[in-house]
């Protein structure tokens, strides 16, 4: 499970690096955690559109996606050092004179996030048995990986729905397996809670 968590962490940092120039262009302001989550969201959106274009062009094979991920990782490192928005001083949530870690509600929120994180990781480590995942969320990206491109699937009614998250699961399937896709999905839930 540890290598999969490392992959998810790498995906998040690559996405945040790719979203960094967009965040700087938009003039995003905030603390470190806020900027990281906002730029990662922008980066995941950009990454999903890029993967969609690769799939439409016929470059959606596992080998091609691994090469693309390596190139995007290098680009992301460059973006991190040059264009990632800088956190503002004094943007921590708090009251005057009281450090943020001394307030009891911070610990309650952190405990809730920790329990949620452990439960999400446990659920993501379990075998995928849910109909929706097996029929749509993982099956279609896997089909596209097998065919090497995104193709029409008229027999699958769900294939006409927006495909942003599922195309990211396709990248996770190309890099590792369905466990990585499940952990990526769980990380999205934790990020939206954080």
């Amino acid at each position: 499970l540890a290598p999969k968590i490392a992959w998810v962490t790498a995906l998040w940092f690559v996405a945040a690096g790719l979203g960094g120039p967009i965040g700087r262009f938009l003039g995003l302001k905030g603390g470190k955690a806020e900027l990281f989550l906002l730029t990662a969201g922008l980066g995941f959106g950009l990454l999903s559109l890029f993967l969609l274009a690769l799939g439409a062009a016929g470059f959606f094979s596992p080998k091609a996606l691994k090469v693309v991920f390596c190139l995007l990782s290098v680009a992301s490192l460059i973006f991190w050092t040059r264009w990632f928005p800088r956190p503002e001083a004094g943007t921590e949530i708090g009251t005057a004179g009281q450090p943020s870690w001394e307030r009891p509600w911070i610990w309650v929120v952190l405990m809730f996030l920790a329990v949620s994180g452990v439960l999400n990781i446990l659920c993501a480590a379990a075998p995928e048995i849910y109909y929706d995942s097996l029929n749509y969320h993982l099956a279609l990206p896997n089909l596209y990986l097998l065919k090497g491109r995104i193709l029409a699937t008229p027999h699958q009614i769900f294939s006409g729905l927006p495909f942003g998250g599922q195309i990211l699961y396709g990248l996770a399937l190309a890099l590792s397996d369905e466990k990585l896709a499940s952990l990526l999905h769980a990380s999205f839930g934790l990020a939206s809670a954080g």
Side-chain angles (χ1 to χ4, degrees):
L1 194 58
K4 307 267 189 288
I5 293 173
W7 272 114
V8 168
T9 304
L11 284 165
W12 272 91
F13 275 94
V14 166
L18 294 175
I22 301 169
R24 171 79 53 103
F25 175 76
L26 293 174
L28 295 179
K29 305 272 187 235
K32 292 177 185 175
E34 292 167 324
L35 285 176
F36 180 81
L37 290 174
L38 287 171
T39 56
L42 291 168
F44 275 125
L46 182 67
L47 184 59
S48 70
L49 292 173
F50 182 67
L51 292 172
L52 185 65
L54 282 177
F59 297 106
F60 204 74
S61 67
K63 190 176 199 178
L65 290 182
K66 287 176 184 176
V67 169
V68 165
F69 183 73
C70 289
L71 294 174
L72 289 176
S73 297
V74 171
S76 178
L77 286 173
I78 294 168
F79 293 163
W80 265 97
T81 58
R82 293 184 177 225
W83 293 301
F84 194 79
R86 302 290 178 238
E88 293 180 331
T91 55
E92 299 297 321
I93 299 171
T95 57
Q98 185 182 20
S100 60
W101 295 111
E102 290 182 8
R103 291 187 304 270
W105 66 269
I106 291 287
W107 292 104
V108 171
V109 169
L110 288 176
M111 288 303 296
F112 173 75
L113 287 175
V115 169
S116 296
V118 168
L119 292 176
N120 270 310
I121 290 172
L122 288 175
C123 288
E128 197 60 62
I129 58 169
Y130 189 58
Y131 167 80
D132 205 34
S133 298
L134 295 174
N135 194 30
Y136 167 59
H137 296 295
L138 296 176
L140 287 175
N142 193 41
L143 174 68
Y144 301 155
L145 284 171
L146 291 173
K147 297 294 184 180
R149 62 185 176 89
I150 294 176
L151 60 132
T153 51
H155 61 280
Q156 174 50 279
I157 192 168
F158 299 113
S159 66
L161 297 174
F163 205 60
Q166 286 70 26
I167 205 83
L168 294 172
Y169 302 152
L171 176 62
L173 290 171
L175 294 174
S176 182
D177 59 11
E178 74 276 355
K179 298 285 186 235
L180 180 58
S182 293
L183 279 172
L184 183 62
H185 181 79
S187 73
F188 291 157
L190 288 174
S192 64

